[in-house]
Amino acid sequence: MDFVVFADGSANLPEKWLKDIMLLPCEYTLDGNPVTYHGDVDRFDAHAYYDALRQGHQVQTSLLNTQLFLTHFRPVLEQEKDLIYVSMSSGISGTYYAAIAAAHELMEEFPARFIHIVDSHGCGFGNGILAIHAAELMREGKDAREAARILDEEVPHVCQYFTVDDLNFLKKTGRVSGVTAAIATILSIKPILFGDSTGHIVSCGKVRGRRKAIEGLAAKYREKRVEGDSPRVFISHGDCLQDAKELETMILEITPAASVTVCEHEPFSGAHVGPGMLGLFFLGKER
């Protein structure tokens, strides 16, 4: 094994995709009580979590700090292995910069080792896709520098589109104004959102009604997909499995050979998009 791949709980990875990926824990508080999320979304009680958000319970998330990276990275370097960490977007979290600070400190301590922090410009499967590919590149025998180059070139092709059921959760984090959220609720306006080239969440459309929003996500896949033998598509949801399965059906109508993974959306960014979030992630022509 030439290098070690790190990701964290924000990567939204179910167990079947965790091979050769070391997950760092994410921390959040629920009504002031600390919770550690270790990252395996299969063991996450999404219904209880998103139901708590529906009922008005308060979740606060925190970035991964530099000390956490030092603690987990140093043992790998001491074993004379290189490492790649796939970070959530620098546009939505300071985690990337905390990882960079740790990398700079450790490179002085271990000058012979290679450390690379990938700014995925995404979250959820937006960085999970890259972590999966990083592990595959390692198993193929690529060295860490070559894998890092490939991953950085892939970042602009990670398409991540989503819709939310309640804009008030994005209002709390300053993504939309209170007036916009109120009007959208009254008129049943559903946004189509995406992670742009700088990793910020922006709107790329709005429709009236949930069904139209799901169709809008499928339309983005039709527009941005790259033809392939069996493309991978990832769908995550905030406790709305029926909608996720409906989107999966639409994807398979467009690309019958697609390999589709459907799972719950992790809690770390889930606090900001809320219950009813429905996300679609895949490698495409461009963002």
Side-chain angles (χ1 to χ4, degrees), residues 32-284:
N33 299 309
V35 179
T36 300
Y37 173 63
H38 291 283
D40 181 354
V41 76
D42 288 337
R43 293 178 171 82
F44 167 51
D45 189 344
H47 175 69
Y49 177 83
Y50 287 108
D51 210 37
L53 290 179
R54 290 186 186 99
Q55 295 172 24
H57 294 272
Q58 298 300 307
V59 172
Q60 295 289 331
T61 61
S62 58
L63 57 81
L64 280 66
N65 60 50
T66 298
Q67 184 57 51
L68 182 142
F69 291 114
L70 293 172
T71 299
H72 286 82
F73 289 176
R74 183 174 280 110
V76 169
L77 301 171
E78 288 174 342
Q79 295 172 33
E80 299 185 349
K81 294 179 180 178
D82 298 328
L83 69 86
I84 291 175
Y85 167 61
V86 182
S87 171
M88 70 185 81
S89 171
S90 63
I92 61 174
S93 173
T95 292
Y96 170 78
Y97 299 105
I100 288 290
H104 286 165
E105 180 174 337
L106 290 168
M107 283 188 286
E108 291 183 3
E109 187 177 343
F110 300 92
R113 300 268 56 87
F114 177 77
I115 305 170
H116 185 67
I117 313 299
V118 179
D119 185 351
S120 69
H121 289 163
C123 199
F125 280 122
N127 49 310
I129 288 174
L130 294 168
I132 291 169
H133 194 202
E136 291 173 336
L137 292 169
M138 181 274 295
R139 291 194 293 271
E140 290 170 6
K142 296 285 193 299
D143 66 31
R145 286 177 172 79
E146 175 66 3
R149 182 191 64 77
I150 292 170
L151 293 168
D152 284 345
E153 289 178 354
E154 216 164 51
V155 167
H157 299 281
V158 180
C159 297
Q160 42 199 339
Y161 294 93
F162 66 100
T163 188
V164 297
D165 200 41
D166 186 349
L167 277 171
N168 284 303
F169 288 94
L170 286 171
K171 182 191 76 173
K172 292 177 184 177
T173 57
R175 300 300 180 186
V176 297
S177 70
V179 172
T180 298
I183 293 173
T185 299
I186 294 170
L187 298 179
S188 190
I189 299 296
K190 305 298 181 186
I192 306 296
L193 304 163
F194 80 110
D196 69 8
S197 60
T198 63
H200 293 86
I201 298 172
V202 296
S203 173
C204 61
K206 55 187 178 181
V207 294
R208 183 168 294 180
R210 182 70 167 182
R211 170 73 184 189
K212 289 293 186 182
I214 299 172
E215 291 174 348
L217 294 176
K220 287 297 181 183
Y221 173 73
R222 186 187 297 275
E223 175 189 353
K224 299 288 188 177
R225 78 191 192 282
V226 174
E227 298 292 345
D229 293 335
S230 183
R232 291 176 184 163
V233 179
F234 298 85
I235 296 170
S236 63
H237 65 93
D239 196 29
C240 53
L241 179 59
Q242 184 175 345
D243 289 345
K245 299 300 286 185
E246 188 173 352
L247 178 58
E248 178 186 23
T249 297
M250 293 178 185
I251 297 302
L252 291 173
E253 288 174 352
I254 298 169
T255 310
S259 172
V260 184
T261 296
V262 177
C263 70
E264 293 82 0
H265 190 72
E266 46 81 19
F268 197 69
S269 62
H272 303 282
V273 291
M277 174 274 183
L278 183 62
L280 176 66
F281 307 84
F282 57 96
L283 285 175

